[in-house]
Amino acid sequence: MYTLNNLIDKACNDLLSAGFSEKTIFGAYWYIWYRLVKKHGKDAIFEESMCHEYCKDYFEKDIFSMDFSNLIQVQKRYLKAFSILIQCSRNMPLKKLNRHYHRDFILDDRSQRLLDEYIQKCMEDGNSETTINNKKMRICNFMIDIDFKNISKDSVVLYLKKRKAKQNLTTYAIDTRLIRRFLIFCYEKEELDKSILLSWPDKMPDIVNKEIPSAYSVEEISTLLKSAKVFEREDNHLRNYAILSLITYTGMRASDVTNLRPCDIDWRNNEIRIIQQKTKKEVVYPLLPQIGNPIIKYIQNERQDGEYLFLKENGHKLNQSIVTRIINNYFAQSPIKINGRHFGAHSLRHSIATIMVNNGISLFSVANTLGHSNIDCVKIYGKVDIAHLRKCVLEAPYHA
């Protein structure tokens, strides 16, 4: 017999031993288990019926008896989390994760030193944390796949051939340009033979047919906001709805949402003023009632004390994956017909840009509003032809 508190600690340790990361454990499972603590208290003796009853009350159906393939994403997540908790209560071993080739691979000392020095240079150049992590992952994977300590002209040709066959044009171009900068850095450090650098393509074709971003109409986003209000009984609903409203009306990136602080909101002048994580540019958003009112409700009724505006239940800062999951869940549970379109936080950003462009707002103004560093970044939104968007009201286009 376990108390809820002891069982959750055991489950966390069991998952760690099985090869799960702390980020996965706390981001995917712990917060669901903690729902039982909030309902029954940490010293309550765990019973399997607690999981069944919670899901019946929360989803108004017995998801444990349903076909897994018929469950929506959020139901699958709860079922998986509670199933692991039940398995741990029965002292049954958890299935260990397979070794992750790239994640667990250890570079040789020279390769690791070059990677660290290049990343340090990127940090000194002012790259954002997100950009740094992206570069580090892509370059590290390249060094592993090509066996960097034994790199040769032949291995470069073979690597490029394989990547071009597997990746779409956009990803291939991005990776190739990024890795070439790293190779130039290594050559300048006299750590790479010139013949190898010359074997790497120095000119990539422009991505002229870049995929048109997914955008949603005013009516669809209004439906999204209305359907999101239905989940008032959901834990952290006020926080989640405030995040949805903020992204919907401003087009703010998920990275900026997670770094938003209470002091960034000027209630007196009705402004939100931030330095974007990606571009390091200052952006000022109007604090509309549709943004401010949900934030006020969240602060007054749900939020704990902390440095950042939007917090986890333990008071820690949210990460981007949680913001992405929040928006994805609202899309998944709404009656909107996705029809193969992308959906999520960035699609809301695409939508507000499309609305502005199709209302005759200049590309320069759109770039400034969304905090793009280059006007070319917003030209693609002109390709999205949604005629009825022209009828929207730019200042507050959605009414939930």
Side-chain angles (χ1 to χ4, degrees):
M1 295 176 62
Y2 296 95
T3 64
L4 282 174
N5 194 53
N6 290 338
L7 180 58
I8 290 174
D9 287 343
K10 178 181 183 300
C12 289
N13 290 329
D14 287 354
L15 286 172
L16 285 171
S17 299
F20 289 76
S21 68
E22 287 190 5
K23 182 177 180 180
T24 297
I25 293 169
F26 287 93
Y29 303 123
W30 180 88
Y31 82 98
I32 294 177
W33 299 335
Y34 195 73
R35 304 286 193 264
L36 300 181
V37 173
K38 292 176 70 174
K39 184 175 182 178
H40 300 283
K42 64 179 182 179
D43 296 323
I45 301 300
F46 174 76
E47 297 178 6
E48 294 183 16
S49 60
M50 291 178 175
C51 301
H52 292 262
E53 290 171 359
Y54 186 89
C55 289
K56 279 184 180 179
D57 181 56
Y58 188 51
F59 296 110
E60 298 181 347
K61 60 182 68 175
D62 182 11
I63 63 173
F64 280 84
S65 63
M66 295 174 61
D67 186 333
F68 189 78
S69 62
N70 293 330
L71 300 178
I72 61 175
Q73 196 63 37
V74 65
Q75 293 169 343
K76 291 179 180 179
R77 190 165 61 249
Y78 270 72
L79 181 59
K80 186 175 181 180
F82 283 139
S83 295
I84 289 175
L85 195 63
I86 291 172
Q87 191 173 346
C88 291
S89 73
R90 297 175 180 175
N91 295 316
M92 297 170 61
L94 299 175
K95 182 179 179 181
K96 291 185 178 294
L97 288 179
N98 293 328
R99 184 178 184 273
H100 191 293
Y101 179 71
H102 286 108
R103 183 190 65 200
D104 299 328
F105 192 97
I106 299 176
L107 292 171
D108 63 278
D109 292 343
R110 172 178 169 273
S111 299
Q112 187 64 56
R113 173 178 58 79
L114 287 171
L115 176 59
D116 291 342
E117 289 177 358
Y118 181 70
I119 293 302
Q120 181 61 38
K121 177 183 180 299
C122 293
M123 293 173 65
E124 293 170 357
D125 289 343
N127 288 182
S128 68
E129 181 182 353
T130 301
T131 300
I132 291 293
N133 291 335
N134 182 48
K135 286 184 176 181
K136 187 174 183 179
M137 178 194 70
R138 290 175 185 265
I139 295 172
C140 184
N141 289 350
F142 156 74
M143 297 176 84
I144 293 169
D145 291 337
I146 206 169
D147 188 14
F148 190 75
K149 65 179 181 294
N150 297 314
I151 190 171
S152 65
K153 291 174 63 175
D154 290 340
S155 64
V156 166
V157 172
L158 182 60
Y159 173 85
L160 290 171
K161 184 178 180 180
K162 287 182 177 179
R163 302 313 296 172
K164 194 168 186 178
K166 289 183 178 180
Q167 296 177 319
N168 61 45
L169 177 61
T170 302
T171 305
Y172 178 74
I174 291 172
D175 275 0
T176 306
R177 288 168 178 161
L178 187 153
I179 293 170
R180 186 172 189 277
R181 295 188 192 105
F182 171 68
L183 294 178
I184 291 173
F185 172 83
C186 293
Y187 169 72
E188 292 174 344
K189 288 277 185 179
E190 299 183 351
E191 297 277 3
L192 187 72
D193 188 85
K194 186 176 182 179
S195 63
I196 296 176
L197 177 60
L198 292 176
S199 67
W200 196 270
D202 61 343
K203 290 184 179 180
M204 290 299 301
D206 292 330
I207 310 170
V208 294
N209 293 320
K210 187 175 180 181
E211 181 183 359
I212 296 176
S214 297
Y216 292 82
S217 69
V218 175
E219 289 80 4
E220 287 175 318
I221 298 182
S222 178
T223 298
L224 177 68
L225 289 166
K226 289 177 180 177
S227 66
K229 284 187 174 182
V230 174
F231 297 92
E232 293 181 353
R233 293 168 56 251
E234 181 182 29
D235 290 307
N236 300 312
H237 167 71
L238 296 179
R239 180 200 69 187
N240 296 350
Y241 188 78
I243 289 173
L244 174 65
S245 300
L246 177 65
I247 295 177
T248 298
Y249 287 100
T250 65
M252 191 179 291
R253 293 185 178 94
S255 58
D256 294 321
V257 172
T258 61
N259 284 283
L260 191 65
R261 292 174 169 84
C263 60
D264 294 328
I265 302 179
D266 185 348
W267 297 99
R268 185 182 298 274
N269 294 310
N270 292 322
E271 290 180 344
I272 301 175
R273 188 179 296 269
I274 65 168
I275 302 296
Q276 287 193 322
Q277 295 294 304
K278 182 175 182 178
T279 65
K280 303 303 179 186
K281 291 178 60 177
E282 182 182 61
V283 180
V284 180
Y285 299 101
L287 182 60
L288 304 173
Q290 293 91 339
I291 302 171
N293 290 339
I295 291 177
I296 290 172
K297 288 183 180 179
Y298 162 60
I299 292 174
Q300 291 178 338
N301 299 287
E302 231 179 52
R303 184 180 178 274
Q304 304 180 49
D305 290 333
E307 178 182 359
Y308 297 93
L309 178 60
F310 298 112
L311 303 169
K312 299 179 184 178
E313 289 181 335
N314 58 9
H316 294 170
K317 176 186 175 183
L318 289 182
N319 54 46
Q320 292 184 50
S321 62
I322 294 179
V323 173
T324 299
R325 187 165 63 238
I326 288 169
I327 305 302
N328 286 352
N329 285 343
Y330 280 134
F331 267 100
Q333 297 171 49
S334 74
I336 297 173
K337 294 182 179 179
I338 304 300
N339 294 332
R341 290 176 292 178
H342 294 293
F343 61 91
H346 220 65
S347 67
L348 292 175
R349 182 174 171 83
H350 294 327
S351 297
I352 195 170
T354 302
I355 289 170
M356 295 174 74
V357 169
N358 284 296
N359 270 277
I361 305 299
S362 71
L363 294 180
F364 178 79
S365 297
V366 175
N368 280 338
T369 300
L370 296 183
H372 280 295
S373 57
N374 191 320
I375 192 172
D376 290 335
C377 296
V378 299
K379 285 182 179 179
I380 192 170
Y381 297 116
K383 297 180 182 179
V384 184
D385 185 18
I386 305 175
H388 60 274
L389 290 182
R390 299 182 184 278
K391 300 177 182 178
C392 73
V393 180
L394 178 61
E395 290 77 9
Y398 322 120
H399 301 281

